[in-house]
């Protein structure tokens, strides 16, 4: 038993071993005055992602030293992990060396970098690349940003159907020199049409007399390059495969979506949805120009301004209610905030459920009734708490008496429950409506739902106050 396990067994909390500080080690190695071959040998023990993490902390002279030490293949790997604008570092290399680095990258990574550059410089670099690299980049760039083909890589292994096991292994070794996504081998027929996939392990352990046909999974999943990311993202997530082929409509394999690509696509989609929930037209980043950020925010803000004016107008309609019972205005924000919170919660749940394209109409109705029940139960519980605490507060702190205090708190509690039920329904129905008319439900953003629910809460609260407190109980001041 190890010392760590022994301490756990004895009930004491063992000390967690401190992890190595790779960044500190790397900076020390790179900035050391050791001979270049010694530095290169030491750097070979570190992952490219760790080297990328210290890249920004290095000077231009140190970058140039590393370019010469590490070579194009390693530098291209490091560049794929950089979170900064890679085009800045490419300029340090000069056009010819920059083109060589981009050639060494997977085409999809090269496209991501080229898209960050000015069109003139990007076109110039593409013209300096070899024909195969230009073809792969042009292929990926030919698809729209919302099409899955724009996210694929051309780094994959493909063999023809009908080969013998030894021939297939020889073809694998040959292609592996240029393509490192080898865990899945894709199979095409004589017409170049995709017909299945073979797991690398199955090919390695296969006997010479085994027929290659017996190794092929003919029902292997695939997507079409022209499919929208939104339409096929759930299918991609459902399959636990290292990569999934991307085909054209003639069933020719164009590229693959790797597990890493899927993670990036899901992350981008979540980021876009988060931006829309915040009332933005697109994601923002730290280095985005001021005017660009303003243009993304202003459309929704204008809409919300109009809706806010509508809420204020409705409050003005109930001016007589407020003038007759001024105490109720103190609790307006309570009703509005809780209704908005309930609506936003329902919105988040509904958008997540609507990501399932196979959701039936009956399931959507059940979701609506479920959210209505959740809103009603939560509203009832919070309404009861409000009834007790607000009643005591008005009776004791305001000195208005128990009868008056609990009459007002009962109206507030009931209004809170009604507003939360209606807000929960609103937060469910609105994104469903957007989804029905083929608009991304995430555009039913948090601020929009909150503003609509403010309108609902104001009408509910002051309407019930006017009916119950002023007209029925005659509590006007």
């Amino acid at each position: 038993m190890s010392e760590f396990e022994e301490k756990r067994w004895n009930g004491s909390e063992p000390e967690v071993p401190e992890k190595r500080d790779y960044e500190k080690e790397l900076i020390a190695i790179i900035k050391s005055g050791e001979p270049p071959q010694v530095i290169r040998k030491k750097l070979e023990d570190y992952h490219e992602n760790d080297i990328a993490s210290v890249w920004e902390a290095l000077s231009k002279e140190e970058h140039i030293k590393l370019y010469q030490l590490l070579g194009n293949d390693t530098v291209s790997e490091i560049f794929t992990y950089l979170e900064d604008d890679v085009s800045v570092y490419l300029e340090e290399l000069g056009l010819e060396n920059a083109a060589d680095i981009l050639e060494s990258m997977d085409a999809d990574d090269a496209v991501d970098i080229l898209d960050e550059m000015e069109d003139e410089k990007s076109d110039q670099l593409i013209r300096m690349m070899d024909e195969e690299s230009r073809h792969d980049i042009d292929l990926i760039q030919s698809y729209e940003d919302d099409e899955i083909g724009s996210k694929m890589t051309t780094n994959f292994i493909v063999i023809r159907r009908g080969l013998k096991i030894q021939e297939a292994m020889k073809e694998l070794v040959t292609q592996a020199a240029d393509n490192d996504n080898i865990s899945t081998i894709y199979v095409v027929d004589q017409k170049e049409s995709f017909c299945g996939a073979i797991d690398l392990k199955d090919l390695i352990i296969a006997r010479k007399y085994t027929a290659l046909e017996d190794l092929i999974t003919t029902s292997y999943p695939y997507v079409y390059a022209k499919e929208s990311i939104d339409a096929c993202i759930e299918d991609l997530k459902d399959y636990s495969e290292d990569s999934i082929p991307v085909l054209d409509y003639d069933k020719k394999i164009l590229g693959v979506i790797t597990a890493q690509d899927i993670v990036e696509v899901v992350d981008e989609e979540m980021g876009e949805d988060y931006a829309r929930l915040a009332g933005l037209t697109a994601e923002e980043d730290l280095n985005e120009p001021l005017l660009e950020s303003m243009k993304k925010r202003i459309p929704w803000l204008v809409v919300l301004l109009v809706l806010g004016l509508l809420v204020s107008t409705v409050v003005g309609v109930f001016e007589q209610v407020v003038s007759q019972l001024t105490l109720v205005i103190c609790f307006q924000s309570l009703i509005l905030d809780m209704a908005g919170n309930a609506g936003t919660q329902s919105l988040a749940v509904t958008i997540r459920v609507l990501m399932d394209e196979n959701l039936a109409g009956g399931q959507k109705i059940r979701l609506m009734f479920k959210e209505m029940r959740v809103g009603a139960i939560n509203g009832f519980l919070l309404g009861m708490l409000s009834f007790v605490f607000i009643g005591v507060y008005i009776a004791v702190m305001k000195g208005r008496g128990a009868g008056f205090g609990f009459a007002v708190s009962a109206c507030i509690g009931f209004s809170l429950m009604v507003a939360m039920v209606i807000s929960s329904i609103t937060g469910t129905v609105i994104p469903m409506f957007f989804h029905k008319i083929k608009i991304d439900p995430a555009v039913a953003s948090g601020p929009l739902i909150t503003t609509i629910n403010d309108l609902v809460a104001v009408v509910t609260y002051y309407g019930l106050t006017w009916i119950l407190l002023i007209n029925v109980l005659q509590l006007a001041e």
Side-chain angles (χ1 to χ4, degrees), residues 65-273:
K65 181 173 75 171
L66 289 176
Y67 297 143
Q68 297 168 347
L69 279 177
L70 301 176
N72 289 347
D73 289 341
T74 303
V75 172
S76 66
E77 283 292 322
I78 292 170
F79 278 10
T80 60
Y81 289 105
L82 288 173
E83 296 181 359
D84 305 321
D85 184 356
V86 179
S87 61
V88 175
Y89 302 119
L90 287 176
E91 290 178 2
E92 298 175 345
L93 289 160
L95 284 175
E96 188 173 342
N97 289 331
D100 291 339
I101 292 293
L102 291 172
E103 278 182 9
S104 300
M105 290 184 176
D106 287 349
D108 57 326
D109 293 324
V111 167
D112 289 340
I113 294 172
L114 290 167
D115 286 345
E116 295 175 355
M117 306 177 72
E118 295 179 359
D119 291 342
E120 184 178 350
K121 181 66 69 66
S122 173
D123 293 340
Q124 192 175 4
L125 285 169
I126 292 174
R127 286 196 300 271
M128 297 178 70
M129 296 181 195
D130 59 48
E131 184 178 351
E132 182 181 356
S133 297
R134 288 200 307 271
H135 173 269
D136 291 344
I137 288 172
D138 289 342
L139 174 64
I140 294 173
Q141 288 184 328
S142 68
Y143 295 99
E144 300 294 334
D145 289 342
D146 63 345
E147 293 176 338
I148 201 66
S150 68
K151 305 298 181 183
M152 68 182 179
T153 178
T154 53
N155 181 349
F156 64 95
I157 305 290
V158 60
I159 62 175
R160 287 188 181 277
R161 197 171 197 167
L163 295 179
K164 295 179 180 179
I165 294 296
Q166 285 182 316
E167 294 172 330
M169 283 296 300
K170 184 178 180 181
E171 186 65 28
L172 169 62
V173 171
T174 301
Q175 294 186 41
D178 298 316
N179 302 285
D180 54 13
N181 287 328
I182 64 172
S183 58
T184 302
I185 300 102
Y186 298 101
V187 184
V188 296
D189 59 20
Q190 298 303 317
K191 296 181 180 180
E192 300 294 330
S193 296
F194 173 72
C195 56
I198 298 174
D199 188 274
L200 175 62
K201 176 186 173 183
D202 293 338
L203 183 60
I204 291 174
I205 65 176
R207 303 295 184 183
K208 292 181 181 180
Y209 54 79
T210 303
L212 186 70
E213 191 73 21
D214 295 339
L215 305 181
I216 301 173
T217 302
T218 56
S219 59
Y220 199 84
Y222 60 85
V223 293
Y224 290 113
K226 284 287 186 180
E227 282 189 81
S228 71
I229 293 173
D230 286 341
C232 62
I233 189 66
E234 286 301 313
D235 290 336
L236 291 174
K237 286 164 58 181
D238 287 342
Y239 292 103
S240 301
E241 300 294 345
D242 293 324
S243 60
I244 294 177
V246 180
L247 314 180
D248 63 16
Y249 289 134
D250 293 324
K251 292 292 183 72
K252 303 290 192 301
I253 182 168
L254 303 173
V256 298
I257 293 289
T258 65
Q260 181 181 350
D261 295 328
I262 293 172
V263 170
E264 290 174 357
V265 168
V266 171
D267 183 60
E268 287 175 12
E269 289 296 297
M270 289 177 65
E272 290 173 5
D273 284 350

Side-chain angles (χ1 to χ4, degrees), residues 255-299:
V256 298
I257 293 289
T258 65
Q260 181 181 350
D261 295 328
I262 293 172
V263 170
E264 290 174 357
V265 168
V266 171
D267 183 60
E268 287 175 12
E269 289 296 297
M270 289 177 65
E272 290 173 5
D273 284 350
Y274 179 81
R276 294 189 185 109
L277 283 169
L280 304 176
T281 55
E283 256 190 297
E284 294 182 15
D285 58 47
L286 185 63
N287 300 316
E288 187 171 70
L290 177 64
L291 287 177
E292 286 297 316
S293 294
M294 289 174 61
K295 283 192 287 186
K296 287 177 180 178
R297 300 185 188 196
I298 200 66

